[in-house]
């Protein structure tokens, strides 16, 4: 199925997330993978998978949980809200999915109530203006770097006294005040969640080394997207982890040499949630409403309506370069059906009207950029039943081929509907 030295593939969103990545992890999980791994992010992600018309949503869990005999790994680079994770596991079990295999890294940092509070309540905190998902992701990663973090091993193997001390240290450092009963309850809730999760907790780097030595097929499932990368995204309007292929190795404890295939997931148009520059953004109109409603463009985690824009090949080119993308999957192509004229962004002009060659590092400068568009013809035919590239209307094929040539990476898949089966292999 893949040309590779190792049987591994990274599934990586090239823009701002929400591009139906979960569908491709699920596609690989159901057709090919033995192991599905998450290496970064936490319950800020939301993967929706549609199987036989039934919709399932997971947030912290890898999307391989829907396929029998697939091992799902949550690596050390993720952050986990243990209480929410217990609920997510219950949700699966209540939906009849009981036989999934799960390994959670003992090194994974955990999100607590005070991380959520820091993410949401403190007006002057810089994260406030970024309009995060409010799940405490940033403060949890920040505590990790401050050496104030609490890890899965602490809630699974630590005592009440040990955990209380860690919590007390962190809240003191953040100048938060809680009464003793609140802290005791918080510690007890974490220990309780630790008891429920302990059966899954292990050293996942050992698990993955074994899987690689046994030539198992491994999917590394990205979360968020390249433009939300803490280094190369539109800083500070970014998430706190590294969602490009570079984050995989350190996020799950394997050497980078094992990563060779990178499938870049590209939505046929652009969306983003949260604040920050969005050069190809469309003003609210009948067109954006149509795209938002047809594409169900509302945050899986927050329910916020997503901002809508034309596809931006300028930033996708940068994302390809940083990710080392070896193939592309174009998703939600069916959402563009019925739009007469499409636009594709092929470059940016700066405030002086000059073409620029790379994305400016300062958002102040990105705000002043204007898009350079190429106009393309749309199509009217329903494409949701197309099984082969040739079945697509000519205009849709031209649209895909243009993206492929511009980005200089082969389009391997085109998704034409939400179901597992609505994928064209090109
Ligand atoms: P955080 O990850 O909750 O800290 O949010 C930081 C920024 O990343 C905000 O603009 C969020 O809306 C955005 N973000 C985080 N996770 C996702 C995701 O899975 N899809 C799309 N945007 C996300």
């Amino acid at each position: 199925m893949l040309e590779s030295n190792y049987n591994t593939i990274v599934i990586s969103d090239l823009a701002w997330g929400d591009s139906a990545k979960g569908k491709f992890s699920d596609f690989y999980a159901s057709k090919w993978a033995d192991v599905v791994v998450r290496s970064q992010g936490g319950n800020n992600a939301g993967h929706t998978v549609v199987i036989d018309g039934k919709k399932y949503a997971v947030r912290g869990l890898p999307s391989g949980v829907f396929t029998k005999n697939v091992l799902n790994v949550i690596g050390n680079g993720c952050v986990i809200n243990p209480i929410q994770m217990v609920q997510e596991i219950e949700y699966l079990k209540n939906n009849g999915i009981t036989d999934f295999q799960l390994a959670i890294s003992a090194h994974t940092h955990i999100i607590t109530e005070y991380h959520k509070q820091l993410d949401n309540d403190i007006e002057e905190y810089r994260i406030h203006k970024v309009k995060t998902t409010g799940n405490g992701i940033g403060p949890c990663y920040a505590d990790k770097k401050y050496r104030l973090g609490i890890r899965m091993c602490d809630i699974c193997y630590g005592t009440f006294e040990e955990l209380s001390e860690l919590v007390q240290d962190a809240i003191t450092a953040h100048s938060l005040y809680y009464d003793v009963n609140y802290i005791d309850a918080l510690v007890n809730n974490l220990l309780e969640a630790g008891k429920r999760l302990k059966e899954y907790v292990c050293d996942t780097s050992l698990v993955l080394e074994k899987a690689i030595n046994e030539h198992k097929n491994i999917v590394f499932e990205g979360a968020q997207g390249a433009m939300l990368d803490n280094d190369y995204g539109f800083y500070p309007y970014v998430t706190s982890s590294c969602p490009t292929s570079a984050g995989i190795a350190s996020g799950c404890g394997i050497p980078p040499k094992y990563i060779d295939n990178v499938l870049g997931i590209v939505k046929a148009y652009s969306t983003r949630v949260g604040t920050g520059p969005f050069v190809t953004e469309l003003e609210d109109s009948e067109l954006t409403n149509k795209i938002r409603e047809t594409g169900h463009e509302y945050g899986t985690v927050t329910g916020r309506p997503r901002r809508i824009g034309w596809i931006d090949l300028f930033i996708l080119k940068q994302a390809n370069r940083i990710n080392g993308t070896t193939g592309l999957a174009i998703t939600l192509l069916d959402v563009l059906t019925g739009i007469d004229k499409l636009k594709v962004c092929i470059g940016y002009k700066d405030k002086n009207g000059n073409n620029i060659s790379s994305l400016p590092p300062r958002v102040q400068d990105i705000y002043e950029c204007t898009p350079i568009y190429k106009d393309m013809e749309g199509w009217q035919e329903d494409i949701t039943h197309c099984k082969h590239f040739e079945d697509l209307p000519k205009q849709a094929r031209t649209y895909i081929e243009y993206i492929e040539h511009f980005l200089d990476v082969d389009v391997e898949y085109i998704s034409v509907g939400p179901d597992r089966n609505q994928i064209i292999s090109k």
Side-chain angles (χ1 to χ4, degrees):
M1 191 163 183
L2 296 170
E3 280 176 33
S4 79
N5 296 324
Y6 304 99
N7 303 325
T8 62
I9 187 166
V10 176
I11 311 280
S12 191
D13 183 305
L14 298 184
W16 288 280
D18 308 320
S19 58
K21 276 186 301 291
K23 181 174 173 175
F24 280 88
S25 314
D26 172 64
F27 172 74
Y28 272 92
S30 58
K31 299 233 179 310
W32 179 79
D34 302 304
V35 187
V36 178
V37 186
R38 275 197 61 181
S39 301
Q40 46 75 222
N43 58 335
N44 48 351
H47 294 322
T48 309
V49 176
V50 181
I51 304 168
D52 297 332
K54 190 165 179 207
K55 215 178 188 182
Y56 299 91
V58 287
R59 287 173 52 181
L61 286 168
S63 49
V65 287
F66 300 107
T67 308
K68 267 196 186 147
N69 302 324
V70 165
L71 172 64
N72 293 277
V73 175
I74 303 180
N76 52 279
C78 295
V79 287
I80 294 183
N81 179 324
I83 291 157
Q84 192 269 331
M85 179 60 71
V86 168
Q87 286 165 356
E88 199 163 318
I89 289 171
E90 288 299 310
Y91 158 85
L92 284 189
K93 291 185 174 164
N94 292 339
N95 277 281
I97 301 166
T98 50
D99 52 357
F100 57 87
Q101 297 173 42
L102 179 64
I104 302 176
S105 167
H107 299 81
T108 310
H109 281 249
I110 61 152
I111 303 169
T112 67
E113 279 306 306
Y114 54 84
H115 293 122
K116 279 180 75 174
Q117 186 185 337
L118 285 168
D119 207 0
N120 286 288
D121 293 353
I122 300 179
E123 290 284 334
E124 63 272 22
Y125 206 59
R126 193 168 186 199
I127 278 177
H128 204 74
K129 79 171 186 202
V130 176
K131 295 223 183 323
T132 68
T133 62
N135 287 297
I137 306 291
C140 181
Y141 276 113
D143 271 2
K144 175 177 177 173
K145 301 293 175 188
Y146 272 135
R147 270 78 53 156
L148 287 169
I150 297 176
R151 296 181 299 163
M152 201 46 103
C153 50
D154 297 313
I155 67 166
C156 289
Y157 313 132
T159 61
F160 178 87
E161 288 70 28
E162 286 166 338
L163 190 55
S164 299
E165 199 179 323
L166 292 176
V167 168
Q168 194 61 60
D169 281 352
I171 60 179
T172 307
H174 290 304
S175 308
L176 293 170
Y177 174 78
Y178 301 113
D179 74 43
V180 66
N181 294 333
Y182 180 89
I183 297 175
D184 285 356
L186 188 144
V187 170
N188 277 324
N189 288 341
L190 292 177
L191 288 171
E192 187 54 36
K195 254 190 233 159
R196 305 276 298 274
L197 297 173
K198 199 172 181 173
E199 63 175 300
Y200 307 112
V201 173
C202 58
D203 183 341
T204 54
S205 74
L206 288 175
V207 172
L208 287 172
E209 184 189 36
K210 184 165 177 285
I212 287 167
N213 287 339
E214 290 171 357
H215 307 288
K216 294 269 192 315
N217 295 340
I218 306 179
V219 174
F220 297 100
E221 173 184 41
Q224 289 79 48
M227 291 304 134
L228 291 169
D229 181 70
N230 199 258
D231 286 275
Y232 276 102
F234 287 27
Y235 192 90
Y237 300 98
V238 292
T239 192
S240 312
S241 60
C242 172
T244 65
S245 58
I248 301 287
S250 69
C252 68
I254 58 158
K257 69 175 179 181
Y258 293 136
I259 294 162
D260 45 14
N261 293 287
V262 181
L263 183 68
I265 312 294
V266 175
K267 208 172 200 164
Y269 49 94
S270 300
T271 58
R272 75 165 299 180
V273 284
T275 41
F278 184 5
V279 176
T280 66
E281 182 166 18
L282 288 160
E283 278 179 16
D284 272 341
S285 65
E286 223 173 278
L287 173 63
T288 51
N289 282 341
K290 176 199 154 14
I291 293 177
R292 190 173 289 121
E293 295 312 316
T294 320
H296 308 291
E297 295 297 357
Y298 293 90
T300 328
V301 176
T302 58
R304 287 183 282 182
R306 295 180 185 140
R307 299 158 68 191
I308 310 281
W310 297 118
I311 191 168
D312 187 340
L313 300 184
F314 181 68
I315 59 159
L316 290 173
K317 201 148 194 144
Q318 163 168 318
N320 262 335
R321 184 168 55 78
I322 290 165
N323 265 296
T325 313
T326 55
L328 295 173
I330 311 291
T331 59
L332 291 120
L333 186 67
D334 53 301
V335 174
L336 296 183
T337 299
I339 302 172
D340 288 340
K341 299 277 176 212
L342 302 171
K343 283 184 192 295
V344 174
C345 173
I346 53 172
Y348 284 4
K349 281 188 192 298
D350 66 14
K351 64 176 177 198
N352 302 316
N354 298 319
N355 288 11
I356 55 172
S357 56
S358 65
L359 187 68
R362 293 180 350 124
V363 282
Q364 292 88 334
D365 297 324
I366 304 177
Y367 272 122
E368 294 187 309
C369 287
T370 46
I372 306 167
Y373 284 123
K374 174 177 169 55
D375 293 324
M376 301 202 71
E377 293 298 314
W379 58 92
Q380 304 301 320
E381 299 86 336
D382 177 8
I383 60 170
T384 54
H385 301 292
C386 292
K387 297 272 176 244
H388 307 283
F389 186 63
E390 297 69 35
D391 300 342
L392 291 170
K394 185 169 170 295
Q395 298 89 325
R397 280 184 276 136
T398 307
Y399 189 74
I400 297 292
E401 281 165 349
Y402 187 82
I403 295 170
E404 187 166 49
H405 288 139
F406 190 95
L407 296 179
D408 199 19
V409 181
D410 288 347
V411 171
E412 292 180 6
Y413 303 108
I414 301 153
S415 164
V416 292
D419 207 87
R420 224 182 211 190
N421 303 318
Q422 291 173 295
I423 295 178
I424 296 174
S425 288
K426 185 164 172 283

